[in-house]
Amino acid sequence: MLDTITTEPRYSRVARQKSEGATYTPLVLANFVAGQMLRVAELPKHSKIRVLDPAVGDGVLLDELIKQLPLATRKRLEVIGYDTNPDAVKVATKRLQQDFPYLNVKLEEKDFLEHVLNLEGCGDLFSAGNVQEPFHLVIANPPYVRTQIMGAQQAQLLAQSFGLSGRVDMYYPFLLAISQVLATDGIAGVITSNRFMTTKSGQAVRRELLSRFKILHAWDLGDTKLFGAAVLPSILLARGVDHTRISRIDRIDYSSIYETDHPAILDTDDVLSALSVEDDTVVALTDGRHFRIRHGVLDNGDDPEAVWRVATQSTDKWLAMVEANTWETFRRIGKIRVGVKSTADKVFIRNDWDDLPEGRIELLRPLVTRHCARRYKADIPAKAKHIKEILYPHEATENGRSVVNLTLYPKAKRYLERHRDILQARNYVIEAGRQWYELWVPQDPAAWSCPKLVFPDISEKPVFWIDMDGGVINGECYWMRCENNNEQDLLWLALAVANSTFIEVFYDHRFNNKLYAGRRRFITQYVEQFPLPDPNREESKEIIAMTKEIYAKIPSVEVESLSEELDERVWRVFGLLREKVTR
């Protein structure tokens, strides 16, 4: 389950679930999802109504859904719930029996995904020979864990069965499995992490959701902290479709709520009540937090795999102006790569190489880490003992990247031999046909000597800098070099754009993938879409020159005023007036 918790004292926490880090849905959220479902549901007038929670937990979702139905309707319900935790099933059963003793309820200790796959193996899920009937209402808060923790074989089976690949979260197959048991015109209300909306790993599930459901409304609940863990939740409200027909994608309402520093216009009691206000309203909660609410339609650029964003008239107009003044994107400069990954940092990365028994060894290179992060130019520690270096046993040859011959580097060889047991324990390196002393992800040795644009993957404000010193980039940062030697100035143009307040607004309009405390994720699929103005425009040439000047003058006092002027120029080159940017 998503890390959620019920506040009702008469139902105890399930000990086993707690030990595994899983808790349950807050009452206020269960109430909201149930209400939204019943607002659009078209239930049978006289016949049986089938209801499902495929990951029932403590039963709060079913409980709230049933409570909001008229008594006469409740008596026609057939309620089904599954959970792999027997203690959870007992708690949920007790809850529903106490509140609705007259109900036809069947809660089972069962794996919902295995259940659906078994039904598929019997042919058409809803055929006359199959006892399974579709559900009119499905309410769920499925598990939020990576399928990889279940073991490779089961993870691979789930991925193949539901057409998924890459880093798959458990709720991905849950969403798709729900589509297979939901009746045509039935209603599903599902609480999930919001990761699938904007990440590369969510491409397949975004595509499948749009084809398997008629999505009515999506809510990105952002950094509202409705849950105790660092999970940013979302809600999907969807109608079942006839899978034998190609359905047309209609307008999908899309809302988001994120914490902001802007002054509030209205006061509200809780986060979910705030969702009823008009678009682009900032509200204040009783705990002092401020949130900006956006309402619009889901926009993915007509690409079913593209990221989801809230489209409104104002944001679309703003982005259209940017598009009109965009020459290319950062993708034009070159490929964005992640830094090196040794998978044995204690062996390969140190700041005390001079203190080794054999003295300073060969193959050492300066290491650029997130601790060096500073706009425009890395902040390298003044004292040598604070500077980290990496033992880099790779080299560029005529045939591309190669691991070095250790016999040519006797000191490095003696050092690595002392740590051979640790390095050889990395079985995946050996099984990949690699030498025991290699870095797991060494990247291209020939690229390190080139000027590189570097940035950490998570920060509240953009922090991009140029590395001109041949540093090796560590795995917590991304980097790119200009693949066309005749276009090196594009790196400096990109540096100005990436560090501007303009790019903060662009990011929020185009992606809006924020973590807690307003931190943004600067990952490949976002940064490669950052816009570049025409480098041949005089305004762009002035921006390039000023960026180089700032780099050269860091850390002098002149940098602050130059940076302010550069920021203004970036806004103007895209045809816009600078806005005041706060979280």
Side-chain angles (χ1 to χ4, degrees):
M1 317 284 294
L2 289 178
D3 188 290
T4 59
I5 193 165
T6 177
T7 56
E8 291 186 286
R10 64 193 176 109
Y11 297 109
S12 63
R13 301 274 301 280
V14 178
R16 177 179 162 193
Q17 292 282 66
K18 182 177 179 181
S19 69
E20 295 172 351
T23 47
Y24 300 114
T25 309
L27 198 60
V28 64
L29 185 56
N31 181 280
F32 178 84
V33 176
Q36 293 297 327
M37 289 176 64
L38 297 179
R39 181 177 60 82
V40 296
E42 300 172 1
L43 300 174
K45 301 280 188 206
H46 306 291
S47 58
K48 176 174 60 179
I49 300 169
R50 284 173 54 81
V51 181
L52 170 70
D53 185 339
V56 72
D58 66 352
V60 66
L61 285 168
L62 285 176
D63 197 62
E64 285 304 302
L65 181 62
I66 295 165
K67 282 178 179 175
Q68 294 190 35
L69 287 166
L71 180 60
T73 303
R74 292 181 201 169
K75 293 180 178 180
R76 292 190 287 119
L77 297 180
E78 180 182 356
V79 180
I80 307 294
Y82 302 127
D83 203 292
T84 57
N85 186 333
D87 293 330
V89 172
K90 290 177 184 176
V91 170
T93 299
K94 182 179 179 181
R95 177 196 288 271
L96 296 180
Q97 285 178 343
Q98 287 180 348
D99 287 349
F100 315 106
Y102 49 84
L103 269 189
N104 177 11
V105 177
K106 183 179 181 183
L107 305 186
E108 298 183 70
E109 181 189 345
K110 181 181 286 188
D111 186 317
F112 171 66
L113 297 180
E114 288 184 4
H115 175 63
V116 171
L117 292 176
N118 289 336
L119 290 172
E120 281 190 308
C122 299
D124 184 356
L125 268 68
F126 307 139
S127 64
N130 195 329
V131 296
Q132 176 68 53
E133 298 177 59
F135 291 92
H136 303 99
L137 296 171
V138 179
I139 190 167
N141 176 358
Y144 178 67
V145 292
R146 288 257 154 79
T147 56
Q148 283 86 337
I149 72 167
M150 301 181 303
Q153 186 174 358
Q154 190 175 3
Q156 186 176 22
L157 175 63
L158 278 177
Q160 290 175 347
S161 301
F162 292 99
L164 301 170
S165 61
R167 300 174 69 181
V168 176
D169 291 326
M170 178 72 86
Y171 66 89
Y172 290 8
F174 258 84
L175 287 167
L176 304 188
I178 287 170
S179 75
Q180 293 173 239
V181 299
L182 183 64
T184 301
D185 291 328
I187 293 295
V190 187
I191 304 165
T192 76
S193 161
N194 69 358
R195 277 179 51 82
F196 81 91
M197 295 175 166
T198 54
T199 60
K200 191 171 184 179
S201 65
Q203 286 179 341
V205 77
R206 288 193 294 270
R207 180 190 66 239
E208 293 301 316
L209 284 173
L210 292 172
S211 66
R212 295 181 182 223
F213 292 101
K214 181 178 181 181
I215 299 176
L216 305 175
H217 202 138
W219 290 267
D220 177 359
L221 301 182
D223 54 354
T224 51
K225 298 182 181 177
L226 282 166
F227 305 100
V231 175
L232 280 70
S234 67
I235 301 169
L236 285 178
L237 183 68
R239 192 179 298 279
V241 298
D242 184 345
H243 297 290
T244 64
R245 300 179 180 178
I246 299 175
S247 59
R248 178 171 58 88
I249 298 178
D250 296 322
R251 168 195 167 108
I252 299 172
D253 290 326
Y254 195 14
S255 303
S256 71
I257 177 169
Y258 278 85
E259 193 169 0
T260 180
D261 293 330
H262 280 261
I265 299 172
L266 298 172
D267 295 329
T268 187
D269 293 332
D270 61 74
V271 165
L272 295 173
S273 297
L275 290 171
S276 62
V277 304
E278 294 182 355
D279 176 48
D280 205 15
T281 299
V282 177
V283 300
L285 268 61
T286 53
D287 62 8
R289 290 182 296 161
H290 290 191
F291 287 90
R292 181 186 297 279
I293 290 83
R294 303 307 310 265
H295 297 300
V297 297
L298 187 154
D299 175 51
N300 59 4
D302 294 325
D303 178 356
E305 293 188 354
V307 300
W308 291 3
R309 74 173 187 92
V310 180
T312 66
Q313 286 187 342
S314 60
T315 57
D316 286 354
K317 183 179 179 181
W318 193 95
L319 289 170
M321 177 60 74
V322 173
E323 179 67 24
N325 288 280
T326 296
W327 169 72
E328 279 281 4
T329 65
F330 279 30
R331 191 185 287 117
R332 164 64 182 264
I333 299 171
K335 184 176 180 180
I336 297 173
R337 294 174 169 85
V338 71
V340 299
K341 297 182 185 295
S342 74
T343 63
D345 283 0
K346 290 183 179 180
V347 175
F348 288 104
I349 299 173
R350 305 176 68 133
N351 60 3
D352 62 349
W353 292 107
D354 292 341
D355 300 332
L356 297 178
E358 50 270 276
R360 187 173 176 83
I361 65 176
E362 311 93 348
L363 301 175
L364 298 180
R365 295 200 184 198
L367 184 69
V368 179
T369 74
R370 62 183 175 83
H371 300 293
C372 306
R374 179 173 61 185
R375 288 185 171 186
Y376 302 106
K377 190 175 188 178
D379 187 9
I380 304 298
K383 295 183 179 180
K385 67 179 182 179
H386 297 306
I387 299 175
K388 288 189 175 181
E389 294 176 290
I390 184 169
L391 195 170
Y392 190 78
H394 300 270
E395 61 185 359
T397 68
E398 292 181 356
N399 298 318
R401 185 184 70 212
S402 176
V403 65
V404 301
N405 180 353
L406 274 186
T407 60
L408 301 177
Y409 306 97
K411 291 183 179 180
K413 182 179 180 181
R414 285 198 299 273
Y415 172 80
L416 289 168
E417 287 286 1
R418 286 210 313 274
H419 298 282
R420 186 170 187 140
D421 289 346
I422 294 173
L423 299 180
Q424 281 192 321
R426 302 177 301 159
N427 296 328
Y428 46 89
V429 176
I430 310 302
E431 291 169 1
R434 312 265 295 279
Q435 294 291 337
W436 58 271
Y437 56 89
E438 291 191 50
L439 303 181
W440 177 234
V441 180
Q443 294 296 358
D444 179 10
W448 302 130
S449 61
C450 302
K452 300 178 291 294
L453 185 68
V454 188
F455 52 99
D457 64 340
I458 297 175
S459 61
E460 181 180 345
K461 301 285 186 179
V463 182
F464 288 68
W465 69 93
I466 292 276
D467 174 65
M468 302 284 286
D469 302 317
V472 173
I473 312 303
N474 202 25
E476 70 228 333
C477 294
Y478 289 91
W479 61 282
M480 66 189 303
R481 67 184 180 93
C482 191
E483 294 179 359
N484 186 339
N485 286 330
N486 297 323
E487 295 183 335
Q488 293 295 327
D489 275 353
L490 290 181
L491 278 180
W492 296 96
L493 185 59
L495 183 62
V497 172
N499 279 327
S500 66
T501 55
F502 158 80
I503 212 63
E504 294 180 52
V505 179
F506 176 85
Y507 181 104
D508 293 346
H509 285 336
R510 189 67 187 84
F511 312 115
N512 200 38
N513 182 16
K514 290 185 180 179
L515 306 174
Y516 284 118
R519 294 177 300 159
R520 298 175 176 88
R521 297 208 66 200
F522 293 94
I523 49 182
T524 299
Q525 60 262 40
Y526 302 157
V527 176
E528 68 181 8
Q529 295 184 58
F530 283 6
L532 284 171
D534 186 345
N536 295 311
R537 288 174 58 180
E538 285 303 315
E539 299 97 318
S540 298
K541 292 177 182 179
E542 291 169 359
I543 286 172
I544 292 167
M546 185 171 287
T547 308
K548 291 179 179 179
E549 183 181 1
I550 289 172
Y551 178 90
K553 290 185 175 180
I554 286 175
S556 77
V557 294
E558 297 175 63
V559 168
E560 184 175 352
S561 60
L562 285 171
S563 298
E564 280 290 308
E565 184 181 345
L566 180 61
D567 195 58
E568 290 273 9
R569 288 174 181 268
V570 171
W571 280 89
R572 289 201 301 267
V573 82
F574 286 104
L576 298 163
L577 295 176
R578 186 165 71 161
E579 302 174 17
K580 182 180 179 181
V581 177
T582 60
R583 182 162 63 90

